[in-house]
Each structure stands twice: as C-alpha cells, then as structure tokens.
C-alpha cells in the first residue's frame, strides 16, 4: 500500500504562484507514475501533470508553460510548481501514484488540497 499526503494549497490572486507537494510512504518502489489531477467546478476530474519514474513529464494543454512537475531524488516527494495562475485553475488538486503492472492496486490518491485563484 501507498499513503499520500499533500500540502501547499491555498488562495492567491491571478498571476500569482503556488507550490503543491505530495509525500508518499509505504510501497514507494512500486510507483510507476506520479501525477496531479484537479477537480474544478462543473467539470470532470482532469490530469494536470505527470512524471514517470524515468523522468518523462506530461502536461495538460491548459497548464503548459505555467506549471512544472518535479520529484525529489532523495525523498519520495513530487511537487507541482504553479505560476501565472488563472481563476480557471481554481479547484481541488489531488496527487496520484500509479503503480507498476502487477501491483495489487492500480493507483492511490491523496486527500486533495484546495487551490483558489481570485481575479
């Protein structure tokens, strides 16, 4: 099993920045992909950014050039640096750990952290 604890949400004005962190514990050696999803009002949960265990990254078109996902090479933590925030970035952000094939569970989710961007 994997446990995920998120931190770093909050409120900011448009154009500002926030940094989210997700710390994993448990069977971290079986994690294949680490990422961030968000749930915005009136929309389905969507992938924001992801990073593979080998370092490949992927971003939603809406955040390219503004958000950066990274991971700590020492601690089992991955971060989402969010710059030039827009009101439409408001939502609940969840970190996710996708496990390697053959794992008993496909993925684990954090509890979510609120990000609010005011205009």
């Amino acid at each position: 099993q994997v446990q995920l604890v998120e931190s770093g949400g909050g409120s900011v004005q448009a154009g500002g920045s926030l940094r989210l962190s997700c710390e994993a514990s448990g069977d971290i050696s079986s994690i294949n992909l680490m990422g961030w999803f968000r749930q915005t009002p009136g929309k389905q949960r969507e992938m924001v950014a992801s990073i593979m265990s080998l370092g490949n990254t992927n971003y939603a078109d809406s955040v390219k050039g503004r958000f950066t996902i990274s991971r700590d090479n020492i601690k089992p933590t991955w971060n989402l640096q969010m710059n030039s925030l827009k009101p439409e970035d408001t939502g609940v952000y969840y970190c996710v750990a996708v496990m390697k094939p053959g794992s008993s569970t496909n993925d684990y989710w954090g509890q979510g952290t609120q990000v609010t961007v005011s205009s």
Side-chain angles (χ1 to χ4, degrees), residues 70-82:
S70 63
R71 62 181 182 185
D72 191 305
N73 289 326
I74 298 176
K75 298 183 295 183
T77 301
W78 54 101
N79 307 300
L80 185 68
Q81 178 66 41
M82 305 185 293

Side-chain angles (χ1 to χ4, degrees), residues 34-85:
M34 299 148 279
W36 291 92
F37 278 67
R38 68 184 177 190
Q39 180 77 58
T40 54
K43 294 184 179 180
Q44 291 185 328
R45 190 176 295 188
E46 62 173 343
M47 188 278 291
V48 175
S50 64
I51 184 167
M52 299 289 292
S53 56
L54 295 180
N56 309 67
T57 58
N58 191 33
Y59 296 91
D61 288 341
S62 59
V63 306
K64 284 181 180 177
R66 301 188 297 122
F67 290 12
T68 302
I69 189 170
S70 63
R71 62 181 182 185
D72 191 305
N73 289 326
I74 298 176
K75 298 183 295 183
T77 301
W78 54 101
N79 307 300
L80 185 68
Q81 178 66 41
M82 305 185 293
N83 298 328
S84 302
L85 282 161

Side-chain angles (χ1 to χ4, degrees), residues 71-113:
R71 62 181 182 185
D72 191 305
N73 289 326
I74 298 176
K75 298 183 295 183
T77 301
W78 54 101
N79 307 300
L80 185 68
Q81 178 66 41
M82 305 185 293
N83 298 328
S84 302
L85 282 161
K86 303 176 181 180
E88 50 263 43
D89 294 318
T90 295
V92 179
Y93 284 68
Y94 299 88
C95 68
V96 61
V98 178
M99 309 307 285
K100 295 176 181 177
S103 300
S104 58
T105 301
N106 291 331
D107 49 63
Y108 294 91
W109 293 78
Q111 78 281 5
T113 185

Side-chain angles (χ1 to χ4, degrees), residues 2-22:
V2 172
Q3 295 76 42
L4 303 177
V5 178
E6 300 153 351
S7 60
S11 298
V12 66
Q13 289 190 327
S17 298
L18 285 173
R19 182 179 176 88
L20 306 181
S21 293
C22 183

